[in-house]
Amino acid sequence: MAQHAHERTELLLDALANLGRGLDLETALNQISAIAARLVGARYVALGVLGDDGRIARFLTVGLSPAQVRAIGPYPTGHGILGELIRHPVPLRLHDLGEHPASVGFPANHPPMRSFLGVPLRVHGGAFGNLYLTEKLGGGDFTEEDQRLVEALAAGASVAIENANLYEESRLREQSARANDEISRRVLTGCSPEEVLALVADNALRVVGADTAIMALPENGYQHLVVRAAAGTEAKRLVGVMLPPGGTFSNVVLRSGEPIVSPDAVADERAQLSFDLRHEIGPLAVLPLGGPGGTRGVLAVGRFEGRMPFASVAVEALQGFAAQAAVALELAEHRVDAARFAVLRDRERIARDLHDLAVQRLYATGLGLLSLRRDLDGDHAHRVGRAVDEIDETIALIRTTVHRLQPGAARTPEGGLRSRVITEIDVATGPLGYAPRLRFDGPVDSAVPSDVADHVVAVLREGLSNVARHAHARSVAVRLAVSDDVVLTVMDDGVGIPGDVPQSGLRNLARRAAELGGVLGVGPGEAGGTRLEWRVPLDGA
């Protein structure tokens, strides 16, 4: 007996020495569970880590296979005997845990358990979690000596856990500070919002050790959130995905301006996640870009199910990244406003010069040619008449251009649909390297409702962006026709749709059409290239 006690004491001392050398919290917790099982001969051991709400936020097990864990279902949150130890954090030994008044039984597929030993874990004076040991090997009950050994292990483990927490906090703060410095430099040097959002997502993922991170911004008057940048698992597929409206974590945060931090998004009753990933998201943090009443988007960062929840210091770092992204978006808006004002002044000057100089000279030339034609006959008079007609067409074209150059033709999205489409064409001219041809048919401004107009502008923007990125086209023609239907057509003479291009953008356009009772058609054009037709009925809008 004395020899056995000495061996167990040596095992405890070796275990505490090994725990003291590690600085990784995840590793330390798994070691504590395994050592406790060996120390007192327990078939099953669990370590429940408490969250900020006092419930079990993480549950590590020893003795159960992964298949058994899956068959049992969600881990406990603190009811029954486990909750008893949370409410009264003192050691608890039981001959048969089923006979205790607080027992609530076991879920289906749970192995039978009788003997029980529970010991609290305290870190820095506060409750950290509990060690639960069941089924003493060889039968019988856990002894008082077993309890003393596990209490000694818990005392030593608390030091190891505290050291690991301090190291993790120090490392995270250092990495967060470096990342914020880099983001600040990019923002101040005038990087585009897309570049800044991608940088924030990458740094958020890396600094807090997450598996996925997205930056989503609102569209159509906050009706939808669209992923603008992503990092981690399936990042390329997520960019451009439209998150459904309603009770998703991201939409709740967007509307409230308040963060949501959940230890397990799958089991959380407040909302449902909408990433549609191949792996379930467990710990989740969703932060607003800006405060209540001025939220510009959301940063959502998740870890796969079963991983450690986000500590408060990690959430603090994520809040810093979200604030940086909000500042970047606001600065970008100010830069766009300043650039738009400068462009408007130039457009007004050019329009005035075209009207006062070019149109008047062409008009005078046309009058001169008409006078000359009266003195001619036959083929010469016909040729002069055709030249006059061409001058009239040129004057009409210049007047259309003058109208487009007027400040009213480059209005904000609250303006008419015709003006908004012209603005999108002007914006796309830079990336394309040429101006798309544009044609309107029907009562574009008066017949199209504002919500449909928002969709038309978004579809046009995506269509022109796809041409600029993938088509290698030399020309693009855009037509917006309004009658019984609203039909937007974008045709290019490029190489068609490459097979390796993600289809998430086209799926979003199809979803927009379907929401309004319409359809999206994409296929080859009559003369090659690609023809995109987005059609929705006016009566269903």
Side-chain angles (χ1 to χ4, degrees):
M1 183 69 69
Q3 178 65 26
H4 179 61
H6 176 73
E7 290 176 355
R8 295 210 295 179
T9 302
E10 289 292 328
L11 175 60
L12 174 63
L13 293 175
D14 290 342
L16 293 176
N18 289 329
L19 281 175
R21 298 190 187 102
L23 291 175
D24 180 71
L25 180 59
E26 186 85 7
T27 302
L29 295 179
N30 283 293
Q31 285 181 336
I32 292 167
S33 303
I35 292 166
R38 293 173 55 201
L39 196 61
V40 299
R43 182 181 299 277
Y44 305 111
V45 176
L47 195 159
V49 180
L50 301 182
D52 295 334
D53 58 358
R55 303 170 69 187
I56 296 175
R58 181 80 195 283
F59 202 68
L60 305 174
T61 60
V62 172
L64 293 173
S65 68
Q68 287 178 300
V69 173
R70 287 193 297 270
I72 293 171
Y75 62 73
T77 57
H79 300 290
I81 297 296
L82 305 190
E84 182 72 13
L85 207 59
I86 296 173
R87 292 185 293 271
H88 306 288
V90 293
L92 177 65
R93 274 189 298 129
L94 300 174
H95 166 69
D96 187 346
L97 53 84
E99 296 177 353
H100 194 278
S103 176
V104 294
F106 296 108
N109 303 314
H110 197 288
M113 296 180 180
R114 290 175 56 85
S115 57
F116 175 84
L117 171 60
V119 175
L121 283 170
R122 303 184 66 82
V123 175
H124 207 59
F128 175 83
N130 296 290
L131 269 171
Y132 308 105
L133 301 93
T134 62
E135 288 297 283
K136 176 83 170 177
L137 294 176
D141 298 336
F142 292 103
T143 65
E144 185 176 348
E145 182 187 358
D146 292 334
Q147 178 179 322
R148 286 199 302 269
L149 286 171
V150 176
E151 286 183 274
L153 174 64
S158 66
V159 176
I161 293 170
E162 185 171 359
N163 288 340
N165 278 333
L166 291 173
Y167 172 76
E168 178 63 18
E169 288 184 13
S170 175
R171 181 198 65 80
L172 197 148
R173 292 186 190 280
E174 179 184 357
Q175 291 189 353
S176 176
R178 286 203 300 265
N180 277 318
D181 287 343
E182 181 184 5
I183 295 169
S184 297
R185 287 196 299 271
R186 297 286 188 90
V187 170
L188 294 175
T189 54
C191 281
S192 69
E194 289 76 14
E195 291 176 303
V196 175
L197 293 178
L199 183 63
V200 170
D202 285 336
N203 280 292
L205 182 91
R206 176 177 54 82
V207 170
V208 303
D211 295 301
T212 187
I214 68 164
M215 307 288 298
L217 304 184
E219 241 188 33
N220 295 341
Y222 282 69
Q223 292 183 21
H224 298 285
L225 274 169
V226 177
V227 178
R228 294 301 183 194
T233 299
E234 303 179 60
K236 290 184 179 180
R237 183 181 67 82
L238 289 174
V239 174
V241 168
M242 181 189 302
L243 303 183
T248 64
F249 283 109
S250 298
N251 277 284
V252 171
V253 171
L254 179 70
R255 283 161 176 74
S256 68
E258 299 292 340
I260 287 179
V261 181
S262 175
D264 187 0
V266 175
D268 201 302
E269 299 175 353
R270 290 175 291 182
Q272 291 298 315
L273 193 62
S274 55
F275 286 166
D276 190 25
L277 297 176
R278 296 188 181 93
H279 301 276
E280 292 284 8
I281 293 295
L284 175 73
V286 186
L287 294 307
L289 309 185
T295 308
R296 300 172 181 273
V298 298
L299 164 63
V301 181
R303 291 171 177 164
F304 291 150
E305 191 176 17
R307 293 194 57 196
M308 285 286 292
F310 291 107
S312 58
V313 67
V315 176
E316 179 184 326
L318 293 174
Q319 288 174 326
F321 291 137
Q324 290 272 36
V327 170
L329 292 173
E330 184 172 359
L331 286 176
E333 287 183 8
H334 290 318
R335 290 192 184 105
V336 168
D337 289 341
R340 183 183 294 117
F341 180 69
V343 169
L344 288 177
R345 287 190 302 177
D346 284 343
R347 290 162 74 107
E348 188 175 8
R349 176 184 57 78
I350 294 169
R352 186 175 59 250
D353 290 346
L354 284 173
H355 182 271
D356 294 345
L357 300 176
V359 170
Q360 297 304 321
R361 289 193 177 188
L362 285 171
Y363 187 70
T365 302
L367 289 176
L369 288 173
L370 284 174
S371 299
L372 177 62
R373 189 175 65 172
R374 287 195 291 267
D375 299 330
L376 301 173
D377 55 13
D379 183 60
H380 294 293
H382 175 72
R383 291 170 63 185
V384 170
R386 190 168 58 188
V388 172
D389 291 340
E390 290 179 356
I391 289 175
D392 288 341
E393 291 182 6
T394 303
I395 291 173
L397 178 61
I398 291 176
R399 282 177 173 163
T400 300
T401 303
V402 168
H403 172 74
R404 290 178 59 181
L405 290 172
Q406 294 295 333
R411 287 174 288 178
T412 60
E414 286 72 20
L417 177 56
R418 186 184 300 265
S419 296
R420 295 177 65 184
V421 169
I422 291 173
T423 299
E424 291 299 324
I425 294 293
D426 291 341
V427 170
T429 299
L432 287 168
Y434 50 84
R437 299 191 304 276
L438 175 61
R439 175 180 171 182
F440 294 107
D441 292 321
V444 172
D445 281 335
S446 61
V448 182
S450 60
D451 58 334
V452 178
D454 290 339
H455 282 288
V456 169
V457 172
V459 171
L460 175 60
R461 183 183 303 138
E462 179 69 20
L464 293 175
S465 175
N466 286 340
V467 173
R469 287 181 295 171
H470 308 303
H472 304 290
R474 291 173 296 179
S475 66
V476 181
V478 175
R479 181 189 179 196
L480 179 59
V482 178
S483 55
D484 294 336
D485 295 339
V486 178
V487 183
L488 175 67
T489 306
V490 180
M491 295 178 290
D492 66 72
D493 62 354
V495 298
I497 302 177
D500 58 348
V501 172
Q503 300 296 308
S504 57
L506 293 178
R507 286 196 296 269
N508 283 336
L509 301 189
R511 183 188 298 176
R512 290 180 185 275
E515 287 179 0
L516 301 174
V519 294
L520 171 73
V522 181
E526 295 179 0
T530 302
R531 185 179 190 275
L532 181 149
E533 181 181 281
W534 189 83
R535 177 187 296 267
V536 298
L538 271 180
D539 57 359

